[in-house]
Amino acid sequence: MTEPDIPPPVDEVPSRYAPPDGYEQPYRYAPDTTTAELAERFAGLEPGTETGTEVTVAGRLMLRRVQGKLAFGTLADGSGRVQLFAPAATTPDFETFGELHLGDWIGVHGEVMTTRRGELSVRVDDWTLLAPTRRAFPDKWHGISDQDLRYRQRYVDLWVTDEARRAFRLRSRLMSLTRRFMDERGYLEVETPVLHPIPGGALAKPFTTHHNALDQDMYLRIAPELYLKRLVVGGFERVFELARVFRNEGISNRHNPEFTMLEAYEAYGDYHVHMELVEQLVSWLATELCGSTTVTFDDREVDLSAPWRRATMAELTSDRVGEPIDIHTPVDRLRELCDAHEVPWKPTHGPGKLLLELYEKTTEHTLWDPTFVIDYPVEVSPLSRAHRDQPGLVERFEAIVVGRELCNGFSELTDPDEQRARFVEQAAQKDAGDEEAMAVDHDYLRALEYGLPPTVGLGIGMDRLAQLLTDTHTIRDVVLFPTLRPEQTSDG
């Protein structure tokens, strides 16, 4: 019988600490309060106060110092920190307590008190080692200076980087508040498949997998859009999903291959309805989470209060390139402008695609204050409904804040014949080598043939919204476990 292959360790640094001789980890421990509850309940105690109240707390030992027959420590749990006061005369096994390592999990029972300096503390009348750390823990005051290490070892980063804990707590509230906002407006939260037989709903390269039982290639969803619109056909007139989506694209400060989208669809509305929804949602979230509609990002204020500016893509891009341009501008002139502004283009790009490329490279990053960029070329919007007044355009918007795309939405294309023609065009682009183009989804076309009423839909990048409200400049700081390059082993 051959031995199984065991992957090599990520590093060969031996564990720095061994558990104490004869140590057996307890199966259970029962704290009866948290450090945050202690801080709130006993705020304002005079120095040198003994409360007579005994509590049991648990967490990690983050700081420790021994001064002769007296030891001090800082116990951190998920809610905050409290000082431990350990006199040798009353602390069981005082010598061992003084040799605990930073990062050890311990449980402490004792009286709540304040020291002569007024520091709220728990006197260590009894203590239990709950889990010894086998590796040296970073100093709380210095944290982890290696950014890559922070993301790889988030389980350590969360203990030593206060900003990380705050960001992820805010993100959690952001998600729950968003659910509340949508629920109060009559939207039904649903779940749609993550495995798709046909990639669709956005222009992006999918991840491919294989279903063994069906012997069929499948795709991690790049968007839940087509399934959510099927539900509108089915009579759910307002639906939303906080969906994990996957796109096989590059990694940057704004991009992670898996991320979270709020997608929402509302029957009987057009793109004006969802522009109002977005500005109301974002301004309300800012108030709830940050205390004001004015937030600071990159040392610069941005006012998120409604209403937001609305301007067409053609108008904004014309201002940047210094001359009026739109989808009716001759292709040769648009190519010349692309060359002048160092914007790459392909011979297959039509005027709509050239206009979009010019806008994205010259204009989008300059839009600091919240702006709805509206009325996109039909060429780059295969699921959007034709503009009611402007041939060649669609009723589509993107919200740009601090120079970054926050969301995308549009009046939905409801005509199955027009949708089929656009799918066919997308399929031709895919056959020509465009990995992000869509395929023909025959079942979705069949759903449209049963009738989709006037409908509006949108998708908001929740990670980017979290970045905005936490003033963080890389998506890795708002994703608990971001996608990273493989860690190098010790042999390179």
Side-chain angles (χ1 to χ4, degrees):
M1 182 176 178
T2 60
E3 293 291 327
D5 290 333
I6 300 176
V10 170
D11 59 58
E12 295 181 358
V13 178
S15 297
R16 181 169 177 180
Y17 309 128
D21 291 340
Y23 173 73
E24 292 187 8
Q25 186 178 41
Y27 281 87
R28 182 176 178 178
Y29 194 76
D32 57 23
T33 190
T34 67
T35 61
E37 289 168 349
L38 289 176
E40 180 179 3
R41 181 180 174 187
F42 295 99
L45 285 181
E46 294 292 327
T49 300
E50 295 182 357
T51 65
T53 301
E54 295 188 358
V55 297
T56 302
V57 291
R60 281 193 190 270
L61 184 66
M62 298 302 294
L63 290 173
R64 173 187 49 74
R65 69 183 189 277
V66 180
Q67 300 175 343
K69 296 296 184 180
L70 186 61
F72 295 90
T74 297
L75 182 81
D77 63 10
S79 66
R81 291 173 167 82
V82 70
Q83 179 171 273
L84 301 178
F85 178 77
T90 59
T91 300
D93 201 357
F94 175 80
E95 194 170 304
T96 303
F97 182 87
E99 294 174 352
L100 289 171
H101 299 115
L102 299 186
D104 282 347
W105 288 87
I106 61 173
V108 172
H109 178 82
E111 182 180 357
V112 179
M113 53 168 288
T114 53
T115 63
R116 286 180 295 176
R117 294 186 176 182
E119 183 75 20
L120 180 66
S121 307
V122 175
R123 190 181 65 220
V124 183
D125 297 333
D126 189 25
W127 66 276
T128 303
L129 179 61
L130 302 178
T133 180
R134 304 287 188 98
R135 289 176 176 259
F137 223 75
D139 187 316
K140 172 199 178 293
W141 301 111
H142 296 94
I144 303 176
S145 58
D146 185 333
Q147 289 294 318
D148 185 72
L149 192 62
R150 286 187 58 209
Y151 305 138
R152 292 188 190 279
Q153 299 184 15
R154 185 72 81 188
Y155 39 85
V156 178
D157 177 48
L158 290 170
W159 285 105
V160 298
T161 309
D162 290 339
E163 293 80 5
R165 294 173 74 89
R166 284 194 293 267
F168 288 111
R169 287 190 178 280
L170 185 144
R171 181 192 168 110
S172 178
R173 289 195 63 212
L174 170 70
M175 303 300 280
S176 61
L177 287 171
T178 299
R179 283 188 165 94
R180 190 172 102 191
F181 181 93
M182 300 301 289
D183 182 66
E184 289 176 350
R185 281 153 185 79
Y187 284 81
L188 178 70
E189 183 173 10
V190 297
E191 294 178 327
T192 61
V194 173
L195 289 176
H196 288 190
I198 299 172
L203 299 177
K205 182 180 178 181
F207 286 94
T208 305
T209 186
H210 189 79
H211 192 292
N212 291 334
L214 296 177
D215 192 22
Q216 172 186 349
D217 282 344
M218 301 193 79
Y219 307 89
L220 296 183
R221 69 176 169 201
I222 56 178
E225 176 169 340
L226 300 186
Y227 282 97
L228 291 173
K229 286 192 284 192
R230 285 173 169 94
L231 294 178
V232 178
V233 172
F236 289 161
E237 296 170 351
R238 294 187 181 189
V239 293
F240 81 97
E241 183 171 10
L242 283 165
R244 201 71 168 173
V245 296
F246 306 84
R247 298 182 182 179
N248 200 348
E249 58 188 14
I251 297 174
S252 72
N253 287 345
R254 305 183 193 183
H255 298 89
N256 193 61
E258 55 176 310
F259 57 99
T260 303
M261 293 280 290
L262 165 67
E263 288 227 9
Y265 294 84
E266 178 175 339
Y268 317 126
D270 64 5
Y271 70 149
H272 296 289
V273 170
H274 268 187
M275 279 189 271
E276 293 176 2
L277 181 78
V278 169
E279 63 192 6
Q280 290 169 5
L281 171 62
V282 174
S283 60
W284 179 73
L285 288 171
T287 302
E288 291 292 312
L289 296 170
C290 305
S292 171
T293 56
T294 299
V295 301
T296 300
F297 187 84
D298 198 19
D299 296 323
R300 184 176 171 186
E301 288 190 344
V302 56
D303 184 2
L304 301 174
S305 60
W308 294 359
R309 176 191 182 196
R310 289 153 170 77
T312 69
M313 177 194 288
E315 293 169 345
L316 292 166
T317 310
S318 297
D319 290 343
R320 292 298 296 176
V321 302
E323 64 180 81
I325 58 172
D326 57 26
I327 60 169
H328 304 296
T329 302
V331 168
D332 288 344
R333 180 55 186 156
L334 291 174
R335 291 173 175 171
E336 291 172 357
L337 288 170
C338 285
D339 290 338
H341 291 275
E342 300 180 344
V343 176
W345 55 272
K346 297 179 181 179
T348 55
H349 289 173
K353 179 65 170 175
L354 292 170
L355 180 62
L356 176 69
E357 293 294 323
L358 274 169
Y359 157 74
E360 290 184 338
K361 299 299 190 301
T362 68
T363 307
E364 183 178 87
H365 67 277
T366 69
L367 303 174
W368 183 264
D369 293 319
T371 302
F372 287 119
V373 181
I374 63 174
D375 300 348
Y376 280 62
V378 65
E379 181 183 346
V380 295
S381 310
L383 298 170
S384 307
R385 187 169 183 175
H387 198 286
R388 68 196 74 183
D389 298 318
Q390 301 291 333
L393 300 181
V394 295
E395 294 190 347
R396 174 182 169 191
F397 69 87
E398 287 188 356
I400 310 299
V401 187
V402 300
R404 303 179 178 200
E405 177 194 342
L406 184 63
C407 76
N408 180 37
F410 37 83
S411 300
E412 300 294 335
L413 177 57
T414 60
D415 184 333
D417 296 328
E418 176 64 19
Q419 184 64 81
R420 178 176 283 102
R422 294 198 201 173
F423 273 157
V424 169
E425 173 60 29
Q426 285 285 305
Q429 294 179 27
K430 183 178 284 290
D431 290 341
D434 186 346
E435 295 180 309
E436 296 186 349
M438 295 185 191
V440 178
D441 189 330
H442 293 285
D443 180 71
Y444 178 67
L445 292 171
R446 178 169 56 191
L448 290 185
E449 289 171 349
Y450 280 99
L452 177 66
T455 299
V456 60
L458 70 90
I460 300 177
M462 299 304 287
D463 309 276
R464 291 186 182 178
L465 181 54
Q467 281 186 255
L468 174 65
L469 297 181
T470 58
D471 190 15
T472 52
H473 300 269
T474 170
I475 196 171
R476 298 179 188 89
D477 284 333
V478 294
V479 174
L480 279 167
F481 299 102
T483 303
L484 301 169
R485 294 183 182 279
E487 193 168 2
Q488 295 295 312
T489 59
S490 57
D491 61 2

